[in-house]
Amino acid sequence: MTGPGPDGQPLNPEPTPELDPDLDVESDGPQLAPEGEGPPGAGIFTLAGRRAPGLYLVAWILSVVGFAVTFVLGPMASDPDWRPVLVFLGAVAVTLGLAAGAGSQVLERALRDPRRYRGPSPVLVFGVYFFAMSLVGLVLLTVLDVDPERPFNFLGIGVVQAAGYLLVVWLFAVRTDALTWRQMGWPTWRGPGINEIARSVGTAVLVMLPVTFALLFIGGIVGLLLGTDAPQVLPLSETFMDGVFVVLAAAILIPIGEEIFFRGFAQTAWTRDLGSGKALLRTTVFFAVVHIANIDAPTFGQGLAQAILTLVVILPVGYALGWLFQRYGLIAAISGHISYNSLLLALAFIASKIPEPAGL
């Protein structure tokens, strides 16, 4: 099974691959902007030369105001009853602002060469996802009083997270015609057969087994040196069904959602502009930095130690999954991620059954 390029071909190492046959480029369509010309970048605050200046301005206003309300005015509100309300409203503004910014980028990049990526920045799309999920979390925790430590609720959160990744990729990549599902590595009826898919899955498992054990060893040493443990993000399982719920969420749903976004969408998008090598490195760092969000330490020093430990472990994992995606496609990356998380869960379960040694 090959990588997620057009017609099942491997991802091209250069940022200007062959024209994709899925792209319908009309001869009488809009003229492409000459190389080195075109609208200003999203980071340059100017309305001149933009195709949708109003949308761009709204994106900036909503984002700046939303960030200020979410992280400054909301937490500093004197009335504790108003704090969650202000944080919620600020998160709504940020979500809408980033979504408007993503829409603005789609319009700005519409005249790009079809061989390049013409959708919004994956980092910007992840921002939309992150704040939208934060809104869902606020509703679940404060309004519905959902306890995320209960395994069944944890499964529900996993379903929401995976669905959220799928939704933002469809909305900002597929719906805007920036990428198709097939270009992001999804197998199709015209794609590889069962034997080739099974070979890719087997290869992914064989790759991730030594990677997992090596990182357990390295992570253990780094944790001892830093005096910290990896952040605990899984609820405790007291019954068999609790364990089933946790496994379904942590070992199946969450890996699928993350691979759809980070490898299928982000790595494919960056490969079109940067080439496969730089895209792999950028996606690896992006994937690792995002996982720092799982840290919930009581002090800055403990949080910093956990952040370093997380980067030491997740960077190699992200690189291995990105390599599997480039070489064998999205199914291999998903299989590798499932293998990694499943092995960690299995080892944690075995460790929980080993009695602690009696004190001397």
Side-chain angles (χ1 to χ4, degrees):
M1 183 178 182
T2 54
D7 291 327
Q9 297 302 313
L11 284 170
N12 291 278
E14 299 301 327
T16 55
E18 293 292 328
L19 282 174
D20 194 304
D22 285 347
L23 293 170
D24 185 16
V25 183
E26 299 289 345
S27 59
D28 57 349
Q31 295 297 312
L32 301 176
E35 194 67 27
E37 299 182 15
I44 303 174
F45 186 80
T46 177
L47 300 181
R50 297 194 178 278
R51 301 188 69 196
L55 184 62
Y56 178 79
L57 182 60
V58 167
W60 267 97
I61 293 174
L62 286 176
S63 298
V64 171
V65 172
F67 273 108
V69 173
T70 302
F71 297 107
V72 180
L73 298 181
M76 294 178 60
S78 57
D79 189 343
D81 294 333
W82 273 98
R83 290 172 190 167
V85 176
L86 290 174
V87 170
F88 181 85
L89 293 177
V92 170
V94 174
T95 303
L96 295 177
L98 295 179
S104 175
Q105 284 191 343
V106 171
L107 295 176
E108 300 291 356
R109 296 174 175 178
L111 299 185
R112 271 185 166 187
D113 189 313
R115 293 167 296 185
R116 300 181 64 195
Y117 173 60
R118 298 191 291 181
S121 165
V123 177
L124 193 59
V125 176
F126 180 81
V128 176
Y129 165 84
F130 177 82
F131 281 96
M133 288 298 103
S134 299
L135 290 172
V136 174
L138 283 173
V139 172
L140 292 177
L141 296 178
T142 61
V143 179
L144 302 180
D145 196 25
V146 173
D147 182 8
E149 296 300 319
R150 298 184 59 183
F152 182 75
N153 294 342
F154 182 72
L155 173 61
I157 292 172
V159 172
V160 173
Q161 288 183 348
Y165 277 123
L166 190 67
L167 178 61
V168 295
V169 171
W170 173 80
L171 184 63
F172 292 104
V174 178
R175 189 72 176 82
T176 61
D177 293 327
L179 293 169
T180 67
W181 290 114
R182 188 162 70 93
Q183 289 167 344
M184 290 185 283
W186 279 101
T188 63
W189 292 112
R190 295 179 295 168
I194 297 298
N195 292 337
E196 198 168 350
I197 292 177
R199 191 181 306 115
S200 297
V201 172
T203 302
V205 173
L206 292 176
V207 167
M208 295 309 297
L209 281 175
V211 169
T212 303
F213 282 109
L215 289 176
L216 284 173
F217 177 74
I218 296 172
I221 294 177
V222 174
L224 287 174
L225 293 175
L226 296 175
T228 187
D229 294 320
Q232 177 65 37
V233 296
L234 299 178
L236 297 177
S237 302
E238 299 180 355
T239 67
F240 173 77
M241 286 308 300
D242 285 348
V244 171
F245 295 147
V246 172
V247 168
L248 286 176
I252 306 296
L253 292 174
I254 293 176
I256 291 175
E258 289 186 349
E259 292 310 306
I260 287 173
F261 186 89
F262 289 100
R263 253 60 66 173
F265 167 54
Q267 192 166 333
T268 299
W270 282 328
T271 296
R272 290 195 159 210
D273 284 345
L274 304 174
S276 59
K278 291 181 180 179
L280 174 57
L281 292 176
R282 179 176 289 194
T283 307
T284 298
V285 174
F286 183 30
F287 181 70
V289 170
V290 164
H291 277 72
I292 296 179
N294 292 328
I295 294 174
D296 185 19
T299 66
F300 175 79
Q302 293 176 345
L304 179 60
Q306 286 190 0
I308 295 173
L309 178 59
T310 299
L311 290 176
V312 168
V313 173
I314 299 299
L315 281 171
V317 172
Y319 189 89
L321 295 175
W323 179 84
L324 285 170
F325 175 70
Q326 282 188 343
R327 183 65 181 84
Y328 298 100
L330 185 60
I331 296 300
I334 291 174
S335 302
H337 201 150
I338 289 175
S339 301
Y340 175 79
N341 284 17
S342 299
L343 185 56
L344 292 183
L345 286 175
L347 293 175
F349 175 77
I350 294 173
S352 68
K353 297 301 180 182
I354 299 177
E356 295 184 3
L360 298 177

